[in-house]
Amino acid sequence: MVKVGLPAQRQEGSESQRELELTCMSNLLSATGERVYFKDLLSRFLLISAGWIAAYAPGRAANDLIGKTDFDVFSDEHASAALRDEQQIIRTGEPIVGKVELETYGGRTDTWVSTTKMPLRDSRGRIIGTFGISRDVTAQIKAENTLTQQALQLRAQNESLSGLDRLKDEFIGLVSHELRTPLASILGYVEILREEGANRPDTERCAEVIERNAQRLLHLVGDLQLLSQIQSGMMAMEFRRADLADIVAHAVEDLRPAANRKHIDLTLSVTAIPVISVDPTRIAQLLANLLSNAVKFTPDGGRVEVRLGTEGGQVVLAVADTGVGIPAADQDQIFERFYRTAIVRRQEIQGTGLGLTITKAIVAAHNGTIAVESGEDRGSTFTVRLPLLRVPPPSIPRS
Ligand code: ADP
C-alpha cells in the first residue's frame, strides 16, 4: 500500500495509533463496496478500494493499478472529464460534492454514479492530490425517471380528462340548445294550427316545418345513440353488395334543397366504380354528415363538389367546399367527439361536434381512411378511401 501522510493531529499520536489508523483504512478499502480512490497531483492512483476495482476494473489487482491513471481504465472522454475536475480541485481547494454522472462503458450497461471529490492534504495542509468516493445510484435514478415519467403521464391524462370534462359541459349546453330550438318551433306551429284550425291556407307548410324539426330531433337522438355504441365498441354494421354511385347520388339530391337555399353550386362527378360490400345505411349517414357540413360551413354563393372514383385499388370519395375552412391546428381534433373549431363557434353555426366522430368510426368499420385538407378561409376537402374489395357475383348453379 502506498503510504500517505495523515492530518497533523493524528500524527501527534503514538506509532501504534498510526498503525491502527492504517489498518482501519486498509480494512475499509478492502471491504467496502463504495468506490474510493486516492490520487496524486498528476491524477495517478495512490490507493483504491475493492469496490472501485469490482466496478471499474474487475479482475485486475490493486497493485497493478497503482501509479496508473483513469486513461488506463476509462474512455478518453470520461478520463479527460475526471482530470479536469481534479485539476480544478487542486487549483481551488474546493471539493465537488454529490455530482451525479453517467458512466459509459463499451459492452456494459451505462451506470449513474453520485461522486464526491475532495482535495487530499498532507500534515501541513498542502494539497498533494485528490480523493473521491462514488456510489452507484442507477437504481435510484431509474426509479426517479420512472416517477417523473409517470407524473408526466398523469398530468397528460389529467389535462385530457379536464379537457373532456369541459367539452362535455359545452356539449350539454349545445344539446340542450339543439333540442330546444326544434321543440320550440314544433310547439309554435302546433299552436298556430290549433288556433287557426286546419282551414288555414298554408297548413301544408306548417306540417312541413313540424316534420323538418321532428326529423332534426330524430337525427340528434340517432347520433347520440350511435355515439354511445361507438364508445362501447358496439356499432352494429350490416354489410351487403351496394352501388356506391347510387348512394352518393341520393345523398347529393337530399342535400340539394339546403344547398339551393344558400345558392350553393352543388355538383357531383362519378367515374364507373364496381359494386362493393358496404353498410349502405352507414355510408349514407357518412355522406349526409360530410355533405351537410360542406353546405353548413360554406357561405352563400359558394361551391360544393362531390367526386367519386377509384385510385390504386381504393374507392375515393372527396367532398370539397369553398367554405370557412379549418385551421391546421384543429385538423386532428375535429374528429374527436364534441370538438368544434373556434371559427364555427364564433359564427354561431349550429352543430354538436358529433358528425365527424361518427363519420370516422363508419370509415374505420369499412377498413378505410379519412383525411382533410384545409386552411382558414381556404375551403375544405374531406377525402374518404375505402378498400376496393370486389364482391364476387353470386355463383350460378350448373344444371
Ligand atoms: P358539427 O358539424 O355538428 O359541428 P362535426 O363533428 O361534423 O360537428 O364537425 C366538427 C367540427 O369540424 C365542426 O364544428 C367544424 O368546426 C369543423 N368542420 C367540419 N366540417 C367542416 C367543413 N366542411 N368546413 C369547415 N369546418 C368543418
Side-chain angles (χ1 to χ4, degrees):
M1 183 195 291
V2 178
K3 297 211 168 148
V4 181
L6 293 169
Q9 66 269 34
R10 295 279 183 269
Q11 279 199 341
E12 280 157 17
S14 65
E15 192 67 23
S16 61
Q17 172 66 19
R18 274 203 303 279
E19 220 162 79
L20 179 65
E21 284 172 347
L22 287 175
T23 305
C24 292
M25 170 78 97
S26 166
N27 271 271
L28 178 69
L29 292 181
S30 57
T32 182
E34 305 293 306
R35 298 140 192 209
V36 184
Y37 67 81
F38 295 84
K39 289 178 181 170
D40 67 11
L41 288 172
L42 295 176
S43 287
R44 291 175 301 205
F45 294 111
L46 298 171
L47 286 176
I48 38 188
S49 69
W52 194 99
I53 294 178
Y56 302 126
R60 290 177 78 169
N63 278 342
D64 175 34
L65 289 162
I66 302 305
K68 303 245 166 42
T69 68
D70 278 349
F71 287 92
D72 297 301
V73 180
F74 298 106
S75 67
D76 281 2
E77 191 189 354
H78 182 116
S80 302
L83 183 64
R84 271 197 301 277
D85 282 352
E86 286 145 16
Q87 294 302 311
Q88 180 192 319
I89 293 169
I90 291 166
R91 214 175 43 249
T92 63
E94 291 294 325
I96 294 174
V97 180
K99 182 178 179 184
V100 175
E101 296 168 305
L102 178 65
E103 289 180 336
T104 53
Y105 313 85
R108 282 169 57 191
T109 48
D110 293 351
T111 310
W112 287 95
V113 291
S114 166
T115 309
T116 291
K117 301 175 184 182
M118 306 225 158
L120 181 66
R121 294 179 188 276
D122 67 8
S123 53
R124 280 184 250 147
R126 283 180 312 197
I127 296 176
I128 56 162
T130 55
F131 69 99
I133 175 162
S134 50
R135 178 174 302 140
D136 187 336
V137 289
T138 310
Q140 187 186 329
I141 296 281
K142 277 191 178 156
E144 279 171 13
N145 285 348
T146 312
L147 275 179
T148 312
Q149 213 51 36
Q150 284 170 346
L152 284 176
Q153 275 171 4
L154 271 179
R155 185 171 341 142
Q157 277 171 4
N158 228 345
E159 275 167 14
S160 105
L161 277 179
S162 53
L164 208 58
D165 216 39
R166 187 173 39 75
L167 284 176
K168 268 194 175 153
D169 287 347
E170 280 178 27
F171 171 72
I172 290 169
L174 270 173
V175 169
S176 318
H177 175 82
E178 292 284 308
L179 288 172
R180 186 175 293 126
T181 316
L183 277 173
S185 173
I186 289 172
L187 288 173
Y189 277 89
V190 166
E191 192 154 332
I192 292 173
L193 283 178
R194 186 171 286 149
E195 277 172 10
E196 304 196 9
N199 299 330
R200 197 182 142 89
D202 54 357
T203 309
E204 186 53 32
R205 206 184 69 79
C206 286
E208 264 170 32
V209 176
I210 292 173
E211 187 182 356
R212 199 171 58 239
N213 281 290
Q215 290 291 2
R216 199 168 136 190
L217 286 175
L218 199 63
H219 183 85
L220 175 61
V221 173
D223 272 3
L224 288 173
Q225 213 172 8
L226 198 51
L227 179 73
S228 86
Q229 286 177 16
I230 291 169
Q231 297 288 115
S232 56
M234 308 276 286
M235 183 168 65
M237 301 289 294
E238 275 181 40
F239 285 89
R240 57 188 165 83
R241 299 170 70 232
D243 182 352
L244 261 190
D246 201 39
I247 302 175
V248 174
H250 271 103
V252 168
E253 283 325 301
D254 284 349
L255 248 289
R256 197 165 293 287
N260 287 346
R261 275 197 293 278
K262 292 179 77 177
H263 309 287
I264 287 173
D265 181 20
L266 174 60
T267 59
L268 166 66
S269 66
V270 182
T271 58
I273 61 158
V275 165
I276 64 168
S277 174
V278 292
D279 180 326
T281 314
R282 297 280 184 240
I283 292 289
Q285 206 164 4
L286 167 160
L287 284 158
N289 287 341
L290 292 182
L291 285 169
S292 64
N293 276 352
V295 170
K296 188 163 69 169
F297 298 123
T298 298
D300 275 38
R303 259 191 350 268
V304 172
E305 215 182 305
V306 182
R307 296 184 294 267
L308 179 68
T310 58
E311 200 182 287
Q314 290 177 316
V315 174
V316 182
L317 166 78
V319 179
D321 65 53
T322 56
V324 295
I326 304 160
D330 287 318
Q331 287 173 18
D332 276 345
Q333 302 180 74
I334 53 172
F335 296 98
E336 285 169 20
R337 60 208 156 137
F338 317 139
Y339 193 85
R340 311 191 75 230
T341 61
I343 308 176
V344 310
R345 282 186 281 134
R346 228 179 9 246
Q347 297 188 14
E348 295 184 353
I349 305 175
Q350 281 179 353
T352 53
L354 292 180
L356 286 182
T357 310
I358 290 169
T359 302
K360 191 178 173 189
I362 294 173
V363 171
H366 285 82
N367 285 330
T369 59
I370 181 164
V372 62
E373 222 188 291
S374 186
E376 192 161 351
D377 288 329
R378 285 208 295 110
S380 310
T381 301
F382 284 84
T383 307
V384 173
R385 291 169 196 277
L386 304 179
L388 188 56
L389 293 175
R390 267 174 180 278
V391 177
S395 55
I396 304 160
R398 288 190 192 154
S399 52

